[in-house]
Amino acid sequence: MVKKGPIFSFFALLIVLGVIIGFAVNPIIHKVNLGLDLKGGFEVLYQVEPLKAGQKIDKDAMSNAVAAINKRINVLGVSEPNISIENGHRIRVQLPGVKNEKRARQLLSTTAKLEFRDYKDRLMLDGSDLKPGKAKVAFDQMNKPMVTLQLKDPKKFANVTKKIASYAPAGNNQLVIWMDYKKGDSYQKEVGKKNHKFISNPGVDQELNTSDVQISGSFTMQEATTLKDLLNSGSLPVRMVEKYSTSVGAQFGQDSMHETIYAGAIAVAVIMLFMLAFYRLGGLIANLTLVIYMVIVMAVFVGLQAVLTLPGIAAMILGIGMAVDANIITLERIKDELRGGKSVLSAFKAGNQRALPTVVDANLTTIIAAAVLFVLGVSAIKGFAVMLLISNVVTFLTSVYGARLLLGLLIHSRILNDHPWLFGVKRSDIRGTK
Amino acid sequence: MELNEKMNYKHYNKFYDRFDFMKHRNVFFVISSVLIILGIVSLFVFKLNLGIDFSSGTRVDVQSTEAISIEKVDKAFRAMNYDPERPVVSGTHKNIATVRINEELNQHQIATIKSKIKAQFGVEPNVSTVSPQVGRDLAKNGLYALILASIFIIIYVWIRFEFLQGLTAVLALIHDAFFIVTVFSLFHIEVDILFISAVLTIIGYSINDTIVTFDRVRENIKLSRKRLSSIEEFGAIVNLSIRETLTRSLNTVLTVLIPVVLLLIFGSESIRTFTIALLVGLICGVYSSICIACPLWAVMKVRYLGKRKKKRTVQTQA
């Protein structure tokens, strides 16, 4: 006799799952964080080096550097920046979707040490004399952009300008404004050049008792804005040297994402057809759990706020193959038992029971490899490992327990009794039949 | 089913049901040894084509709105005073060219290249630059991960199965990983950072196949209910276990090969080396699990039991 209860539960379960998935898919897809290889953007690995002799690069120095970089990135308005410390003395900065790469790079790596020196390169004032966060872009009488600053102590400025003004008879009354002055730089050498290293060299004729300073070089609007942003976010406490950089054009990223997703979609379709052809009803159930699997994997991935990269998509597609593997192991076992002459119900029970340890061992070894990758890997590899780990864990949920639940309901209804062909077993293959 | 029943059971009608995997074991061992020697020679002669991830320099991916010619790309870079090395055209529409420059460019140079290439080809190019130290660290890190993963896997299999199976499983796995390296060396395919993740994926995957077969061996030994000692007895068990799990092994590798092949055909250029490594590793993985790991284990097991027996006899005589 066919029992109607389990069949009803089976379809009720399918409808509930269908509705949940239907509502969940859109919000999940829109919340996926795309990595810069899919979105375009750039990534730089900086080596952190001491700014002054004797400066130690310890944990504090590193976190100060990261804080300073963070401030500068905020200026850029990048939505999903990712800054991480690697190997103790390297900083990886990822800026997906950044529009003006040139400006971003400049903003990031300039130490931004502003200094006022005299004609003989003697230090007069530096960044620590400025009121923090008070730099502004303004326009001079010629309507050209300039940057205005505020000093902490007008008296100090008065002293400095008095001294500079005293060089006037020899024509050396310039206050030279430097950005990132390096040892060996010399005003005398630079002043004759067209592209001089210093920002500007205004002449000072008298003592200025004020806290307002204007820097007017021959700025473009963008240069003035960059200078202002640099001054407001403060100078970097360390020197950063670019060791690795990669930048992906937005078009490139988009194309590779579309290509990879296209390949993945065809792959899923082919796998589903294969499972249907080979395992019939068992294959159908496997396909249903595969859909649920993909939704859960994406949901967990989004929930962890992981960043989807190209290797991540590849791991997901690979994970699909591995999830199906769990189904195959179980279904092959069930077929074995059916061929051995067992009834559908006891073949289902024995098959599931015997397949479980195999699936566990097979998946755990992969989890070990993925975990090692996660701990040791950097950036793109880490994304790959996260996806692989999630895939393997979710496989247990859907391909083992999900499939067992769904198929179990159908089998307990007895509707499948005497229909071993529904699992792809030929009657002639069953032991004891001719 | 009892073991004897299973062994005499005639309804298995797949093409491999009569194939004697144990009898041909020496053929497989020779094939694999030859491949390993070939790999070692190739590593010395051709070396590995290391991408900039592992060496140093700059890599530029130029994309165009139309098909691209090597000459045009070459000219564009020479006009900027760079010496481009081996531009390679790829992409389904032949509209992507990859250029390597053997110097690390600074941010100013990169910005110039980007704007000039964009003006000339219509799409903003990808530019990556690496200094040698970072590349070395990456390679070291990858090798470290490989060794660590192998150790953990041996320990796991040791606990769940037995030490000899753990050892042969890892030997099969190193065989697969090395075969990927061999193919990349022989055909001069560029090795980049994703290559390491591909090799590690294969390690997780190849072990998968081996475990499933060993799992069946373990089960059939239990069913046999007697102490096995000769190579014939172990051989019979190994043959039966391989045949029983072969449909599963082939179907599984097929379901993973499907996405990999499709990624290779339709997927993005940037993961090409990754998918090639996976493809090679998957095929080699299924071969090594079936034809190497199981027979090798049987041979080692018999030798180990023989040695132990000898020891015991010596002890009793004394």
Side-chain angles (χ1 to χ4, degrees):
Chain A
M1 247 229 21
V2 171
K3 284 201 232 164
K4 289 203 178 103
I7 298 188
F8 176 76
S9 310
F10 176 80
F11 283 106
L13 198 60
L14 276 195
I15 291 169
V16 170
L17 283 173
V19 170
I20 294 176
I21 290 173
F23 278 104
V25 162
N26 239 343
I28 290 175
I29 287 180
H30 284 283
K31 277 199 187 120
V32 173
N33 278 342
L34 294 180
L36 61 89
D37 54 352
L38 298 177
K39 202 184 200 175
F42 86 111
E43 171 180 340
V44 189
L45 184 67
Y46 292 106
Q47 172 108 6
V48 174
E49 284 169 8
L51 206 53
K52 291 172 250 175
Q55 182 186 6
K56 255 199 178 159
I57 301 297
D58 52 9
K59 260 195 177 157
D60 277 353
M62 290 301 283
S63 51
N64 284 342
V66 169
I69 296 170
N70 247 321
K71 266 193 202 158
R72 291 188 183 180
I73 290 174
N74 284 340
V75 169
L76 290 168
V78 178
S79 55
E80 301 287 344
N82 183 1
I83 309 166
S84 51
I85 298 178
E86 275 172 22
N87 283 5
H89 60 281
R90 288 188 189 144
I91 298 178
R92 188 182 294 270
V93 181
Q94 291 176 308
L95 303 177
V98 65
K99 297 247 163 48
N100 191 339
E101 186 188 319
K102 195 176 164 186
R103 175 161 182 254
R105 259 186 142 116
Q106 205 181 358
L107 256 183
L108 277 178
S109 63
T110 316
T111 315
K113 259 179 76 119
L114 190 73
E115 283 167 342
F116 295 77
R117 289 172 183 267
D118 69 3
Y119 75 106
K120 274 184 133 175
D121 303 317
R122 279 176 295 213
L123 181 63
M124 299 281 126
L125 294 164
D126 64 19
S128 58
D129 294 313
L130 301 178
K131 271 192 190 167
K134 290 288 185 191
K136 282 197 190 79
V137 173
F139 295 93
D140 62 10
Q141 299 93 320
M142 315 283 290
N143 211 18
K144 277 168 94 182
M146 62 177 186
V147 177
T148 64
L149 313 167
Q150 280 189 25
L151 293 174
K152 282 180 190 160
D153 182 6
K155 267 200 196 125
K156 198 168 176 188
F157 193 55
N159 278 339
V160 167
T161 43
K162 194 174 157 193
K163 204 169 175 189
I164 301 274
S166 71
Y167 302 139
N172 289 330
N173 56 336
Q174 286 93 14
L175 182 60
V176 190
I177 305 172
W178 289 87
M179 182 66 102
D180 293 344
Y181 175 89
K182 278 193 211 90
K183 229 181 172 178
D185 283 347
S186 143
Y187 171 65
Q188 300 296 351
K189 269 191 230 155
E190 291 292 324
V191 70
K193 293 184 188 164
K194 205 176 162 205
N195 283 319
H196 47 71
K197 280 188 187 166
F198 57 85
I199 301 178
S200 66
N201 55 340
V204 179
D205 298 322
Q206 65 196 67
E207 179 184 328
L208 298 165
N209 195 349
T210 173
S211 61
D212 293 313
V213 182
Q214 301 170 348
I215 306 176
S216 50
S218 43
F219 294 131
T220 64
M221 188 60 200
Q222 200 192 52
E223 281 165 352
T225 315
T226 306
L227 181 60
K228 172 209 75 172
D229 290 337
L230 281 173
L231 292 176
N232 280 341
S233 49
S235 68
L236 281 180
V238 292
R239 206 157 74 85
M240 301 209 305
V241 187
E242 277 193 20
K243 283 288 168 183
Y244 167 91
S245 80
T246 180
S247 69
V248 178
Q251 187 66 42
F252 250 98
Q254 225 173 44
D255 285 359
S256 28
M257 178 162 73
H258 287 159
E259 283 162 358
T260 310
I261 289 179
Y262 178 65
I266 301 179
V268 170
V270 176
I271 290 176
M272 285 185 164
L273 282 177
F274 170 81
M275 289 299 283
L276 268 185
F278 217 88
Y279 297 105
R280 316 280 164 85
L281 182 72
L284 180 69
I285 301 286
N287 291 345
L288 287 174
T289 58
L290 190 60
V291 174
I292 304 169
Y293 164 87
M294 290 191 281
V295 176
I296 295 182
V297 167
M298 278 322 288
V300 174
F301 195 76
V302 169
L304 291 177
Q305 294 190 314
V307 179
L308 189 65
T309 55
L310 216 45
I313 295 182
M316 190 178 174
I317 296 173
L318 197 73
I320 290 172
M322 292 177 152
V324 171
D325 179 40
N327 290 113
I328 290 181
I329 291 177
T330 315
L331 290 170
E332 275 300 322
R333 275 289 182 162
I334 294 178
K335 272 172 110 170
D336 275 354
E337 303 293 338
L338 282 172
R339 286 198 199 101
K342 283 207 171 116
S343 75
V344 171
L345 181 63
S346 52
F348 167 74
K349 280 188 178 157
N352 268 312
Q353 205 184 4
R354 292 201 167 158
L356 188 62
T358 318
V359 176
V360 170
D361 284 337
N363 274 285
L364 268 179
T365 42
T366 310
I367 287 178
I368 290 174
V372 169
L373 267 188
F374 177 74
V375 175
L376 291 180
V378 287
S379 66
I381 291 193
K382 219 170 195 126
F384 174 83
V386 171
M387 193 53 115
L388 205 59
L389 276 174
I390 297 174
S391 305
N392 267 289
V393 174
V394 175
T395 296
F396 282 106
L397 200 67
T398 57
S399 298
V400 177
Y401 295 103
R404 187 186 288 187
L405 177 70
L406 286 174
L407 194 56
L409 284 173
L410 287 184
I411 282 173
H412 283 290
S413 76
R414 299 182 193 160
I415 199 173
L416 308 178
N417 286 2
D418 299 320
H419 295 299
W421 59 272
L422 278 172
F423 292 92
V425 173
K426 275 191 223 138
R427 230 170 246 285
S428 60
D429 278 349
I430 295 177
R431 198 163 56 119
T433 50
K434 290 273 149 71
Chain B
M1 251 190 280
E2 290 297 314
L3 192 73
N4 283 343
E5 268 184 82
K6 280 211 280 196
M7 286 194 173
N8 300 327
Y9 178 44
K10 292 287 182 283
H11 274 302
Y12 293 120
N13 52 8
K14 295 269 162 51
F15 65 93
Y16 47 74
D17 281 337
R18 267 172 297 277
F19 190 81
D20 193 337
F21 293 91
M22 277 306 280
K23 202 174 117 195
H24 296 92
R25 63 175 185 271
N26 286 331
V27 179
F28 299 134
F29 293 165
V30 167
I31 292 176
S32 286
S33 308
V34 168
L35 286 178
I36 289 170
I37 293 167
L38 189 72
I40 294 171
V41 171
S42 167
L43 274 182
F44 275 107
V45 178
F46 300 113
K47 303 206 169 60
L48 274 180
N49 174 12
L50 293 178
I52 60 153
D53 286 345
F54 294 115
S55 47
S56 70
T58 303
R59 172 194 158 114
V60 186
D61 293 317
V62 182
Q63 189 181 350
S64 172
T65 37
E66 57 203 41
I68 228 167
S69 76
I70 293 179
E71 293 75 37
K72 197 178 165 191
V73 177
D74 200 73
K75 226 172 114 190
F77 278 88
R78 291 201 188 282
M80 290 183 278
N81 277 330
Y82 292 112
D83 187 16
E85 205 180 292
R86 48 175 176 226
V88 179
V89 174
S90 57
T92 30
H93 306 292
K94 297 267 166 246
N95 61 338
I96 298 173
T98 304
V99 179
R100 267 176 75 165
I101 302 168
N102 267 347
E103 51 181 309
E104 287 165 54
L105 304 185
N106 63 30
Q107 44 172 296
H108 180 71
Q109 290 171 303
I110 292 174
T112 317
I113 288 187
K114 284 201 122 178
S115 61
K116 284 205 172 149
I117 293 293
K118 191 179 176 185
Q120 212 169 337
F121 294 90
V123 183
E124 202 180 335
N126 295 349
V127 182
S128 307
T129 167
V130 186
S131 68
Q133 196 198 352
V134 174
R136 271 201 302 274
D137 282 6
L138 273 175
K140 226 166 50 189
N141 212 316
L143 196 68
Y144 192 45
L146 201 104
I147 294 168
L148 210 63
S150 299
I151 293 173
F152 281 130
I153 287 171
I154 291 188
I155 293 173
Y156 180 79
V157 178
W158 192 356
I159 295 169
R160 291 282 300 167
F161 297 82
E162 59 167 67
F163 177 72
L164 276 183
Q165 284 182 330
L167 185 69
T168 37
V170 166
L171 284 179
L173 162 172
I174 292 170
H175 167 269
D176 300 340
F178 191 71
F179 185 67
I180 304 177
V181 175
T182 305
V183 169
F184 270 65
S185 165
L186 271 181
F187 296 97
H188 227 74
I189 309 168
E190 188 173 300
V191 174
D192 60 12
I193 177 72
L194 291 180
F195 176 80
I196 291 183
S197 42
V199 171
L200 281 152
T201 311
I202 288 304
I203 286 182
Y205 210 77
S206 144
I207 198 87
N208 213 330
D209 268 336
T210 317
I211 293 297
V212 171
T213 326
F214 277 159
D215 182 66
R216 195 58 74 106
V217 170
R218 179 174 61 176
E219 189 184 318
N220 282 333
I221 288 178
K222 260 190 215 152
L223 276 176
S224 80
R225 291 210 196 106
K226 61 175 177 182
R227 183 158 293 184
L228 308 170
S229 58
S230 73
I231 190 80
E232 286 75 26
E233 285 170 323
F234 276 106
I237 295 272
V238 163
N239 267 333
L240 178 70
S241 308
I242 292 176
R243 284 174 198 153
E244 281 184 342
T245 49
L246 200 58
T247 316
R248 173 264 155 200
S249 294
L250 293 180
N251 280 0
T252 301
V253 87
L254 203 64
T255 50
V256 188
L257 273 181
I258 291 169
V260 170
V261 169
L262 285 165
L263 275 180
L264 199 59
I265 301 172
F266 299 111
S268 155
E269 275 307 313
S270 354
I271 50 172
R272 178 123 311 172
T273 52
F274 176 78
T275 40
I276 294 176
L278 277 186
L279 183 73
V280 174
L282 281 173
I283 295 171
C284 183
V286 81
Y287 158 78
S288 74
S289 304
I290 294 164
C291 303
I292 301 292
C294 275
L296 186 63
W297 167 76
V299 171
M300 279 162 69
K301 182 84 182 172
V302 169
R303 196 167 289 178
Y304 168 73
L305 290 177
K307 260 189 197 160
R308 215 175 53 175
K309 212 173 156 191
K310 230 182 191 171
K311 231 183 190 171
R312 274 197 195 148
T313 352
V314 172
Q315 274 171 352
T316 26
Q317 277 170 353

